[in-house]
Amino acid sequence: AIVLWVPDLLDARLGNLVTYRPRISNIGFVDVRSEDVRDRIESVATEIQKVVPPRGTIFDFSNQPAFYFFADRANATRFYQTPILSPIALELEAIKDLERSKPLLVLRRSPEGYDAFDGIPNEVRAPALAHYIDDHYDFYRGVRGVELWKRRPAIGSATADSYRRDFRLPPSALPPASTFFVFPAVGSAAGAGESRWVSDLLAYNNFTVPVAVKLRLSDAIATSDRRIVIQPGKVTTIRDFVATLFGRVGSIGSLRVEFENGRPPLVKVQTYDAARASTPFLEDPLSSASSATAGTAGDEITIIGVVSDARRRVNIGVLNSGIHPASFRISVTDSSGRRSGQSIESGLPEDRSYLLVDAQQRLSASLDGTAVVHIRALTGSILGYASIVDGVTGAHQLIGGVPSAAR
């Protein structure tokens, strides 16, 4: 009676019945979500097997214990779900197990939100264990939205009791989770004409409690994580943070900023030519709302108002903002909408960025202020921007791209 009363339920049952044989035979029917999950499982399992030998162990901190089976690697503890670790005794037991077996990889983050059971993230539910992982593991790479963290070599031993102070009961209500934001162009590297570009980080905490912020630097070589704590009412300034905080000299990449418990501090980046003592350019971040996604109405990013001449050089940047590898095409149209110059296509792995240096020359198109730069997402999701450098004064300007509303 209920099924007949609710047509949607009847439609769903009939639909599953009609497509049953095609679904199980995978002929004439493609379940997009299932294919996405299968691709994620295969990709994550393959990467685990590359890093961890057959008799090695891993630990899943993402509430996705099926990866133990698919990767064919043993659990370093007896706990298969993080919510089981809520009592402090069990949390400390897990820390002892990890310290004894020292698994090479720890899995964090679930793109489907499994790591926030009942709305409480695992980092909040098991803070002592999360602190231990932060101390002993570095972010290795993201695979389809799942983070793989690799154990640091030659790390000193630790006692479980030293993390007892980090245990606390999860709050009954958490602020809503915030979407990430990203600074697309940061660095500490030499440039043209004996210039030396550096980026400073400025963060202000306008809350009454300390705020922990996760910073993720991604360049063409690797991705690294750091965590800083900003005290209430204080401004934290980290000069040349790419070199001083991340230890990456000669690096240009992007900075992703995440905040715990949905408490976003005010964060800005200033980039300048340290060799000329030029005026710093204060940069605002881009957010996930500025992404363009292939296969949707908003699959293209547009940038207007860029001028490249003998004095100014325009670079075009693209970041992968999704959990899958992306591909894109960069092209230019003139003021009348006609195609100008040539286009450039490229692929972009997860957590990586692409920089087209001197876009006017590379695209063979005039960027005179009336031209429009188009960045089309062919697959995946991307962010786009233009970086304008004044070769005389060393001034730097960043223009964020805007996703198209419809095509």
Side-chain angles (χ1 to χ4, degrees):
I2 294 175
V3 169
L4 293 175
W5 180 50
V6 184
D8 288 345
L9 293 179
L10 180 59
D11 289 343
R13 300 301 186 272
L14 290 175
N16 288 336
L17 177 63
V18 171
T19 61
Y20 174 73
R21 186 171 297 279
R23 281 191 292 115
I24 63 174
S25 64
N26 207 30
I27 298 175
F29 180 89
V30 177
D31 187 330
V32 177
R33 186 171 181 274
S34 296
E35 292 298 313
D36 185 58
V37 172
R38 175 187 296 179
D39 175 62
R40 183 188 314 142
I41 290 173
E42 293 178 350
S43 299
V44 173
T46 298
E47 192 63 33
I48 292 174
Q49 291 167 349
K50 286 181 182 178
V51 178
V52 182
R55 302 182 69 86
T57 61
I58 62 174
F59 179 66
D60 171 52
F61 195 58
S62 66
N63 298 349
Q64 300 174 100
F67 280 123
Y68 293 120
F69 170 79
F70 288 109
D72 194 20
R73 297 296 183 268
N75 187 348
T77 75
R78 68 187 181 101
F79 305 104
Y80 280 79
Q81 287 282 2
T82 303
I84 303 174
L85 299 169
S86 295
I88 182 60
L90 299 184
E91 195 171 341
L92 295 179
E93 179 186 335
I95 293 175
K96 292 177 182 178
D97 290 340
L98 296 180
E99 185 61 20
R100 181 180 62 255
S101 58
K102 295 179 174 55
L104 290 179
L105 286 182
V106 170
L107 278 62
R108 305 179 84 163
R109 296 294 176 91
S110 162
E112 295 180 318
Y114 296 136
D115 55 332
F117 180 74
D118 282 348
I120 300 177
N122 284 343
E123 285 76 9
V124 177
R125 186 182 297 277
L129 180 55
H131 191 180
Y132 172 87
I133 295 173
D134 291 338
D135 284 349
H136 293 77
Y137 290 80
D138 286 322
F139 176 82
Y140 168 57
R141 62 168 302 187
V143 181
R144 307 299 189 271
V146 178
E147 294 184 359
L148 304 183
W149 289 59
K150 183 182 283 188
R151 190 171 181 90
R152 296 173 188 164
I155 190 73
S157 61
T159 61
D161 285 338
S162 65
Y163 291 93
R164 184 183 294 272
R165 65 183 183 278
D166 297 312
F167 177 81
R168 59 187 182 275
L169 292 177
S172 57
L174 292 174
S178 173
T179 56
F180 73 89
F181 57 75
V182 59
F183 293 94
V186 300
S188 178
E194 299 184 351
S195 60
R196 187 171 71 86
W197 294 99
V198 300
S199 299
D200 298 342
L201 180 71
L202 294 83
Y204 174 72
N205 178 7
N206 57 354
F207 295 94
T208 58
V209 296
V211 171
V213 178
K214 183 172 77 172
L215 307 173
R216 176 167 295 171
L217 177 70
S218 299
D219 59 18
I221 300 175
T223 300
S224 300
D225 268 38
R226 298 290 186 269
R227 276 176 167 79
I228 63 173
V229 176
I230 310 171
Q231 297 303 320
K234 303 291 184 181
V235 176
T236 297
T237 302
I238 306 178
R239 303 292 183 187
D240 194 8
F241 70 89
V242 175
T244 58
L245 184 63
F246 289 92
R248 304 267 269 279
V249 179
S251 172
I252 297 176
S254 62
L255 179 72
R256 176 169 171 149
V257 181
E258 297 181 7
F259 11 90
E260 296 180 357
N261 297 345
R263 296 189 179 96
L266 178 63
V267 181
K268 291 183 179 292
V269 164
Q270 60 180 18
T271 300
Y272 54 95
D273 182 359
R276 305 184 193 181
S278 63
T279 302
F281 169 72
L282 202 59
E283 181 180 339
D284 289 318
L286 302 176
S287 72
S288 57
S290 302
S291 294
T293 302
T296 68
D299 66 348
E300 185 174 276
I301 290 173
T302 55
I303 305 172
I304 64 172
V306 293
V307 177
S308 181
D309 51 28
R311 175 171 175 167
R312 288 169 293 226
R313 185 178 65 182
V314 175
N315 306 321
I316 302 297
V318 185
L319 292 84
N320 187 336
S321 59
I323 62 173
H324 299 88
S327 59
F328 59 89
R329 179 191 301 121
I330 302 176
S331 60
V332 176
T333 56
D334 59 24
S335 57
S336 61
R338 292 191 301 267
R339 181 77 171 271
S340 176
Q342 62 185 8
S343 62
I344 290 180
E345 293 187 12
S346 182
L348 201 55
E350 299 169 60
D351 297 321
R352 289 292 183 268
S353 60
Y354 170 91
L355 186 65
L356 180 65
V357 178
D358 197 356
Q360 178 165 268
Q361 180 180 5
R362 294 284 303 280
L363 295 170
S364 301
S366 176
L367 301 179
D368 57 0
T370 65
V372 180
V373 177
H374 305 266
I375 310 175
R376 173 78 63 82
L378 304 177
T379 59
S381 297
I382 58 172
L383 290 167
Y385 67 95
S387 172
I388 305 175
V389 181
D390 190 312
V392 177
T393 65
H396 175 265
Q397 180 184 8
L398 187 140
I399 301 177
V402 179
S404 55
R407 291 189 52 78

